Amino acid sequence: MRSRRFLRAEQLGLSFDVPGLVAGVDEAGRGPLAGPVVAAAVILDDLKPIKGLADSKAISALKRERLFDEIRAKALCCCIAEASAAEIDELNILQATMLAMRRAVEGLRLKPAKVLVDGNRIPVLKIPAEAIVKGDAKVKAISAASILAKVHRDRLCLELHALHPQYGFDGHKGYPTPEHLAALRAHGACPQHRRSFGPVREVLSD
């Protein structure tokens, strides 16, 4: 008869290692002064491997674009979700990021047995989840999610640039570069700027 200690360890193992589909989750756009924060969730297909998956920040824009299409074509399912600038201002950037992640997971066509999230925090989910620091460089599904989120947000910034070319969103993607800060001072804030972020708040208070 197996010992009680062994049985307990086996039960704990089952509770922490749920068999089934695994979704990777990552976000893009926590630092910019404008636009939504974007999250993606991806369940990869082991029978359709994708070469070159890595942290989206570590690969070129051209390669990200190619991988974006390949991930969408080969993954079992994926979902890209957003939390708007208004939601960021209302909730704060951390909680808005968690909201976008939750929307991405809940938007998956297939329900994963476990969710792996890049970073050290996880959104509130009805599915077992684990946070993995630097997961976008360690877990292929998280790498895929980081690429989807990054490319989607970059495309949104191009649309934002078409609406408000004076800010140069096509270049800095909303980040607080000297050029962006100068444009903010010269033109004020546009509707997509995050009012709760310091540089935008300062311009609005002048």
Side-chain angles (χ1 to χ4, degrees), residues 2-73:
R2 287 181 291 186
S3 70
R4 184 176 297 175
R5 178 181 297 178
F6 181 81
L7 285 170
R8 179 171 171 77
E10 185 178 57
Q11 289 165 354
L12 285 173
L14 284 172
S15 68
F16 281 99
D17 189 17
V18 182
L21 299 174
V22 175
V25 178
D26 202 1
E27 54 76 27
R30 288 183 63 171
L33 304 179
V37 60
V38 175
V42 180
I43 300 177
L44 293 175
D45 186 345
D46 292 339
L47 299 179
K48 297 178 180 178
I50 300 171
K51 294 182 179 180
L53 290 176
D55 174 8
S56 63
K57 297 183 291 295
I59 56 181
S60 69
L62 185 62
K63 186 174 182 180
R64 284 197 300 266
E65 289 281 346
R66 179 183 63 78
L67 285 169
F68 180 93
D69 292 336
E70 189 173 359
I71 293 164
R72 294 286 298 266

Side-chain angles (χ1 to χ4, degrees), residues 12-205:
L12 285 173
L14 284 172
S15 68
F16 281 99
D17 189 17
V18 182
L21 299 174
V22 175
V25 178
D26 202 1
E27 54 76 27
R30 288 183 63 171
L33 304 179
V37 60
V38 175
V42 180
I43 300 177
L44 293 175
D45 186 345
D46 292 339
L47 299 179
K48 297 178 180 178
I50 300 171
K51 294 182 179 180
L53 290 176
D55 174 8
S56 63
K57 297 183 291 295
I59 56 181
S60 69
L62 185 62
K63 186 174 182 180
R64 284 197 300 266
E65 289 281 346
R66 179 183 63 78
L67 285 169
F68 180 93
D69 292 336
E70 189 173 359
I71 293 164
R72 294 286 298 266
K74 291 184 175 179
L76 286 176
C77 63
C78 57
C79 179
I80 301 172
E82 304 173 10
S84 68
E87 288 174 319
I88 292 168
D89 291 336
E90 178 184 353
L91 300 172
N92 76 45
I93 184 59
L94 174 60
Q95 294 308 315
T97 301
M98 296 297 106
L99 175 60
M101 287 182 170
R102 190 175 81 236
R103 285 171 173 167
V105 173
E106 292 176 349
L108 288 169
R109 179 176 55 83
L110 302 173
K111 183 178 179 180
K114 187 173 184 179
V115 175
L116 303 178
V117 182
D118 181 57
N120 58 8
R121 294 177 182 267
I122 56 176
V124 176
L125 299 168
K126 297 178 181 179
I127 302 167
E130 179 183 350
I132 301 179
V133 176
K134 297 184 179 179
D136 49 6
K138 300 174 183 177
V139 179
K140 290 186 183 300
I142 298 179
S143 300
S146 77
I147 291 167
L148 292 191
K150 171 66 174 168
V151 171
H152 180 80
R153 193 176 190 284
D154 284 354
R155 291 177 179 178
L156 289 178
C157 286
L158 293 179
E159 295 176 8
L160 197 52
H161 177 74
L163 291 172
H164 307 284
Q166 67 270 32
Y167 296 100
F169 287 116
D170 59 333
H172 54 64
K173 304 299 191 292
Y175 284 90
T177 63
E179 294 78 13
H180 190 185
L181 295 176
L184 258 178
R185 290 190 293 269
H187 305 289
C190 75
Q192 288 83 6
H193 273 105
R194 302 172 180 177
R195 268 64 181 158
S196 57
F197 279 43
V200 181
R201 192 168 60 243
E202 290 172 10
V203 166
L204 292 172
S205 65

